[in-house]
């Protein structure tokens, strides 16, 4: 357990980080597309899972939208996802930074909803944005978006079941893993959470087959040979790509947005595609585009 002094320092750092991100978002939104760099061309990463009842099904995972203003690149992302033809779309938090982004955010989410059902969790910037939780829930309900706040949804299949667990943000200590269902034959459980430290909250009784997170932006600015100089609290060293710890399978998405500066260097936006196959039970993560 962290000491009170370290928790205070972390809260101060996170507050300063959000204030700077909010200022940057408002500033650069005044100059659309004039300062964007490295944000236009997302890479597709394939995650292959083996579970017979879901064989042939496909999902898309994106994260860290920080969508405070709608740009042409968001239309391009919609077109890319449409070509993937997903059965479900998963989004793991940091949807926006400032309240003015709500209509822009839900314009994008509504576009995704025309492609497939959308399942969303919240991140630290969503909670710090000043948008009340009830407001997020009302907008999500109006646009038929599944916003999961420490909740689970069950989708029956012919010979099994997909369960989608959405935990609130682990980095701000809002995640409650008690909602994770028990293991049942034929059930595949996907856990959506914003920060990778959700992995540290799970115990052997939590039956989870695949964990999807974001939060790190993959470092956002990557200089060859140099580790990212700053990562937000909640990453616990898990920067990008796949991790297997204590039998848990985690994928950390680089996200499609930006924080502080609308610039990505050697760290393009990412769309992850989860594909299920029919073989023995398990999950194989093919991290093709972004090795550690």
């Amino acid at each position: 357990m962290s000491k009170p002094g370290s928790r205070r320092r972390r809260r101060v750092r996170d507050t300063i980080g959000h204030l700077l991100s909010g200022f940057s978002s408002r500033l650069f939104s005044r100059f659309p597309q004039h300062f964007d760099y490295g944000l236009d061309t997302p890479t597709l990463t394939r995650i292959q899972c083996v579970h017979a009842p879901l064989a042939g099904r496909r999902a898309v995972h994106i994260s860290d939208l920080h969508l405070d203003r709608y740009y042409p690149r968001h239309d391009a992302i919609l077109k890319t996802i449409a070509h993937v033809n997903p059965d479900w779309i998963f989004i793991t938090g940091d949807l926006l930074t400032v309240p003015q982004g709500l209509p822009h955010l839900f314009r994008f989410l509504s576009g995704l909803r025309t492609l497939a059902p959308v399942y969303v969790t919240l991140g630290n910037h969503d909670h710090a944005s000043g948008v009340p939780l009830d407001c997020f829930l009302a907008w999500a309900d109006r646009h038929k978006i599944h916003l999961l706040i420490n909740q689970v949804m069950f989708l029956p299949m012919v010979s099994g079941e997909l369960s989608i667990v959405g935990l609130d943000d682990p980095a701000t200590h809002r995640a409650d893993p008690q909602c994770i269902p028990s293991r049942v034959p034929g059930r595949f459980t996907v856990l959506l959470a914003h920060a990778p430290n959700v992995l540290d909250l799970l115990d052997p009784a939590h039956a989870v087959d695949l964990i999807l997170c974001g939060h790190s932006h993959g470092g956002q600015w990557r200089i060859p040979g140099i580790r990212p100089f700053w990562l937000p609290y909640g990453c616990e060293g898990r920067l990008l790509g796949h991790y297997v710890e204590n039998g848990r399978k985690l994928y950390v998405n680089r996200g499609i947005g930006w924080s502080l500066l609308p610039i990505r260097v050697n760290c393009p936006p990412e769309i992850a595609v989860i594909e299920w196959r029919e073989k023995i039970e398990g999950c194989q993560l093919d991290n093709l585009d972004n090795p550690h």
Side-chain angles (χ1 to χ4, degrees):
M1 182 178 294
S2 59
K3 297 180 180 179
S6 66
R7 289 198 296 268
R8 283 194 296 271
R9 287 192 295 272
R10 187 166 62 240
R11 284 196 296 269
V12 169
R13 189 186 75 166
D14 290 348
T15 299
I16 292 172
H18 179 75
L19 290 173
L20 289 173
S21 293
F23 172 79
S24 296
S25 177
R26 290 182 176 93
L27 174 64
F28 289 109
S29 290
R30 294 174 176 269
F31 310 99
Q33 293 189 281
H34 291 295
F35 292 96
D36 286 5
Y37 177 82
L39 291 161
D40 287 333
T41 309
T43 59
L44 288 175
T45 301
R46 187 174 73 248
I47 300 172
Q48 291 190 328
C49 297
V50 181
H51 187 75
L54 292 173
R57 299 299 188 106
R58 184 181 296 121
V60 157
H61 172 222
I62 56 177
S63 191
D64 297 87
L65 280 56
H66 292 276
L67 208 159
D68 298 313
R69 183 168 181 143
Y70 201 96
Y71 291 112
R73 68 170 176 268
H74 296 115
D75 284 329
I77 290 172
L78 290 176
K79 290 179 181 178
T80 298
I81 293 176
H83 286 135
V84 172
N85 193 26
D87 295 284
W88 309 285
I89 297 172
F90 305 141
I91 307 176
T92 49
D94 275 7
L95 310 175
L96 47 66
T97 309
V98 295
Q100 293 83 353
L102 264 175
H104 304 280
L105 166 66
F106 278 91
R107 174 183 170 185
F108 180 71
L109 295 182
S110 295
L112 291 174
R113 181 62 187 85
T114 65
L115 306 178
V118 179
Y119 301 85
V120 180
T121 60
L122 298 181
N124 57 302
H125 281 283
D126 302 315
H127 286 292
S129 67
V131 178
L133 178 58
D134 287 348
C135 187
F136 275 120
L137 289 168
W139 278 71
D141 183 64
R142 189 185 315 157
H143 293 273
K144 296 181 171 49
I145 304 297
H146 301 291
L147 176 56
L148 303 178
I149 309 294
N150 295 320
Q151 294 171 293
V152 59
M153 293 190 69
F154 298 99
L155 306 182
M157 303 291 138
V158 173
S159 59
E161 186 176 61
L162 173 66
S163 68
I164 304 169
V165 177
L167 294 189
D168 206 348
D169 178 43
T172 52
H173 310 289
R174 290 177 166 89
D176 183 359
Q178 292 186 31
C179 67
I180 298 173
S182 59
R183 188 169 298 282
V184 171
R187 174 184 291 166
F188 189 100
T189 297
V190 175
L191 190 156
L192 312 178
H194 181 58
N197 68 334
V198 67
L199 199 59
D200 304 320
L201 304 179
L202 304 182
D203 61 41
H206 292 131
V208 176
D209 297 288
L210 176 65
I211 305 166
L212 300 174
C213 295
H215 190 47
S216 70
H217 293 205
Q220 191 165 313
W221 312 302
R222 295 180 60 80
I223 302 172
I226 301 177
R227 289 188 62 82
F229 63 89
W230 181 84
L231 286 175
Y233 170 75
C235 291
E236 303 300 330
R238 301 167 185 124
L239 178 62
L240 55 84
H242 63 84
Y243 298 84
V244 180
E245 299 180 21
N246 299 320
R248 306 281 187 192
K249 299 174 178 66
L250 165 71
Y251 193 84
V252 182
N253 193 301
R254 297 193 301 269
I256 63 172
W258 58 271
S259 183
L260 296 180
L261 293 173
I263 296 172
R264 282 180 172 266
V265 178
N266 294 322
C267 188
E270 179 178 24
I271 298 170
V273 181
I274 302 110
E275 299 174 330
W276 282 272
R277 299 180 298 168
E278 182 175 3
K279 278 188 181 177
I280 60 171
E281 297 295 323
C283 184
Q284 174 185 337
L285 305 183
D286 288 345
N287 184 19
L288 302 179
D289 294 317
N290 52 346
H292 301 318

